[in-house]
Amino acid sequence: MRYFFAIEPNAQAKLNIDHWRNQYLPAFDHPVPVGNFHITTAFLGEVEQDKLEVICEHIDKQHLPAPFSLTLDQQGYWSKPKVYWLGCQNVPKGLLDLVKLTEKAGKIAKINLPKRPYIAHLTLARKCAFEPASALLAPEFTTPITELGLYESISGKSGVKYLKRFSWTLPNKR
């Protein structure tokens, strides 16, 4: 089973992003469904059950960052995977802390994580034949982040679904 750690915009932000995508960008052949909107902190890939337990136990013992706000205000396109995305001009410290924590959990479980610089992004469309023109109205979506999730990626006839299998609430610190 394929797994990844991620955070999600709240429901209102997801709807606002979808509305903006439909109003200000060209129609995509392969848009990401709104229900799949997320920002990955660590992609784990194929994970056996025993390693999944190690990963969850590790996260359970960690001091998670306090809830934070995330602003998606940047558009981008990667030509090799043909992906159009929204990103952050300023990545919050809380997100970077979650990236470190989730990558460490993968390493403790002896999972070989991809070695590339972290770029916080939310994928809007896949299999883009060419880079779309930037939207006429720049994106600016701010959402509270209050939870870290561990998701399973399930491929089916109707596409990929991401199911949240475990979650951890970010603690309000005083």
Side-chain angles (χ1 to χ4, degrees):
M1 294 179 273
R2 294 169 46 122
Y3 286 91
F4 61 92
F5 281 106
I7 57 173
E8 284 186 71
N10 66 15
Q12 187 61 57
K14 286 182 179 185
L15 292 173
N16 291 343
I17 291 166
D18 186 49
H19 176 76
W20 172 84
R21 175 176 63 179
N22 293 333
Q23 287 289 121
Y24 298 105
L25 291 170
F28 292 105
D29 291 336
H30 302 279
V32 171
V34 175
N36 282 354
F37 284 175
H38 69 276
I39 295 97
T40 300
T41 62
F43 179 76
L44 304 172
E46 295 292 330
V47 180
E48 296 99 23
Q49 186 63 37
D50 59 330
K51 289 185 177 186
L52 201 58
E53 290 171 14
V54 169
I55 288 166
C56 290
E57 285 173 11
H58 176 76
I59 298 295
D60 286 344
K61 295 174 185 173
Q62 301 308 303
H63 295 286
L64 299 174
F68 57 91
S69 288
L70 175 78
T71 299
L72 297 166
D73 56 359
Q74 186 177 39
Q75 302 169 68
Y77 174 75
W78 290 317
S79 59
K80 189 172 182 184
K82 298 182 179 184
V83 166
Y84 190 75
W85 51 271
L86 286 179
C88 311
Q89 291 185 38
N90 298 302
V91 180
K93 182 182 181 313
L95 177 52
L96 295 175
D97 290 344
L98 288 175
V99 169
K100 287 179 192 171
L101 190 137
T102 54
E103 286 179 346
K104 185 174 181 182
K107 289 176 186 172
I108 285 173
K110 298 187 179 358
I111 294 172
N112 291 323
L113 300 174
K115 292 180 169 89
R116 56 182 163 236
Y118 180 74
I119 300 174
H121 69 283
L122 181 150
T123 301
L124 290 174
R126 300 184 185 285
K127 301 178 186 175
C128 299
F130 54 89
E131 180 175 0
S134 291
L136 294 176
L137 178 66
E140 187 162 346
F141 304 101
T142 299
T143 182
I145 302 298
T146 60
E147 180 179 88
L148 171 66
L150 180 62
Y151 296 78
E152 182 180 357
S153 176
I154 300 174
S155 297
K157 290 180 181 179
S158 60
V160 178
K161 284 187 180 180
Y162 301 136
L163 299 177
K164 189 185 305 180
R165 296 299 189 191
F166 302 96
S167 64
W168 295 266
T169 301
L170 303 183
N172 286 316
K173 298 184 180 180
R174 296 173 196 213

